[in-house]
Amino acid sequence: IIIITTVVFFIMELWEKSQTSGYFIKNTIEFLLEHGALYAPKLLEGEWYRIITYLFLHSGIEHLMNNMMVLYFLGNALEHCVGKVGYLSTYFFSGIVAAIGSVLYNTEYPVCVGASGAIFGVIGAMLWIVLKNRGTLQGISKRRMMFFVFLSVYSGFTSQGIDNAAHITGLVAGFLFSVSADHGHRYPASESGRLRPHKQPDRFHCLHFQCRPRAFRRRPERELSVFLSAFQTDSESGDAAWQARD
């Protein structure tokens, strides 16, 4: 997802620059609206594909980098816990629900782009997994995870141009999807502290880390733990939202 989103961003940048004299590394609202941004009137005209395409569009390089950095740590940890199918299902389901929540709540019809709604769904899913595992998962404590959720939501309400409706609905959607898909099976730790899956994992459980040589095994949960520790309140991971111009 990170690679595809980044490639799409730079293709759109080059495409826009070839057609206009606008600033590089910052898409204009008109260009994004024309190429798949979320916009309620367009949905009512039958362009439902926008509830997916808006996830791959970003307003600028800073918007892209902030979202992809958060997705790298959270997405790796979630995929490690529930597998590729579970991760992708959570991501896109949350993104779609976030789009619907944004359209229903924002009566002024802003133009919205960004992956934050889906990323908040990943956050919600990880929160459920940590809670189900008695409040800790390879260094990710319940307190730390809930503090991260609070800061993420709070930063949206204290920043300009943030689609908080998409954030909150995405967060709730990811949490509930993880609950309904039973993503929260417990992960007993081995003597070395490494995760050990149950003998009969559910259909979303990923076992790829068992097959890797010890020296090359990654520890996404540890990486996420370090990331949460270093998380700053001034980090921005919000979706960009503008008032649409007719």
Side-chain angles (χ1 to χ4, degrees):
I1 292 177
I2 293 175
I3 294 175
I4 294 174
T5 303
T6 303
V7 169
V8 168
F9 174 80
F10 283 103
I11 289 176
M12 298 294 284
E13 290 288 348
L14 294 172
W15 189 359
E16 181 188 21
K17 189 171 180 61
S18 67
Q19 295 179 352
T20 69
S21 58
Y23 294 104
F24 187 58
I25 310 299
K26 185 171 180 62
N27 291 125
T28 61
I29 179 175
E30 293 87 356
F31 185 81
L32 291 171
L33 180 59
E34 181 181 352
H35 294 91
L38 182 66
Y39 185 48
K42 291 291 186 180
L43 291 180
L44 296 177
E45 294 175 4
E47 298 182 8
W48 292 100
Y49 61 87
R50 291 177 180 270
I51 64 176
I52 294 292
T53 55
Y54 88 102
L55 295 171
F56 296 95
L57 302 177
H58 288 80
S59 61
I61 189 66
E62 184 178 0
H63 186 203
L64 173 73
M65 295 303 295
N66 287 332
N67 275 351
M68 295 303 100
M69 179 183 67
V70 176
L71 182 60
Y72 173 78
F73 290 101
L74 288 166
N76 277 344
L78 182 62
E79 182 180 349
H80 192 72
C81 292
V82 304
K84 288 183 173 61
V85 174
Y87 166 56
L88 292 175
S89 300
T90 302
Y91 183 86
F92 285 108
F93 175 79
S94 301
I96 292 172
V97 173
I100 296 173
S102 175
V103 169
L104 293 178
Y105 179 80
N106 296 311
T107 57
E108 296 181 352
Y109 301 144
V111 176
C112 301
V113 296
S116 292
I119 293 173
F120 267 79
V122 174
I123 295 174
M126 282 302 302
L127 177 61
W128 165 248
I129 292 174
V130 171
L131 292 176
K132 187 68 178 294
N133 283 270
R134 298 179 179 179
T136 183
L137 180 66
Q138 288 287 292
I140 309 171
S141 66
K142 176 177 66 176
R143 178 179 300 179
R144 182 176 294 175
M145 195 68 201
M146 293 185 71
F147 185 61
F148 175 74
V149 171
F150 170 77
L151 289 179
S152 299
V153 174
Y154 176 77
S155 66
F157 282 100
T158 56
S159 304
Q160 296 293 327
I162 303 299
D163 190 352
N164 292 299
H167 287 186
I168 294 174
T169 52
L171 177 69
V172 174
F175 184 88
L176 295 180
F177 183 83
S178 190
V179 172
S180 64
D182 193 26
H183 285 170
H185 55 276
R186 293 179 178 173
Y187 296 85
S190 64
E191 295 179 358
S192 62
R194 195 181 305 278
L195 288 183
R196 234 181 4 177
H198 288 298
K199 293 182 179 179
Q200 295 181 343
D202 62 38
R203 59 195 178 96
F204 289 126
H205 191 202
C206 182
L207 297 177
H208 67 275
F209 60 90
Q210 283 188 313
C211 302
R212 296 179 179 178
R214 175 177 291 271
F216 296 99
R217 288 175 183 168
R218 295 190 55 215
R219 300 185 182 182
E221 294 83 3
R222 297 286 177 83
E223 294 176 359
L224 178 56
S225 177
V226 173
F227 170 72
L228 294 180
S229 299
F231 182 74
Q232 301 295 323
T233 57
D234 62 347
S235 64
E236 298 176 10
S237 61
D239 281 340
W242 305 276
Q243 295 301 318
R245 294 199 290 259
D246 293 331

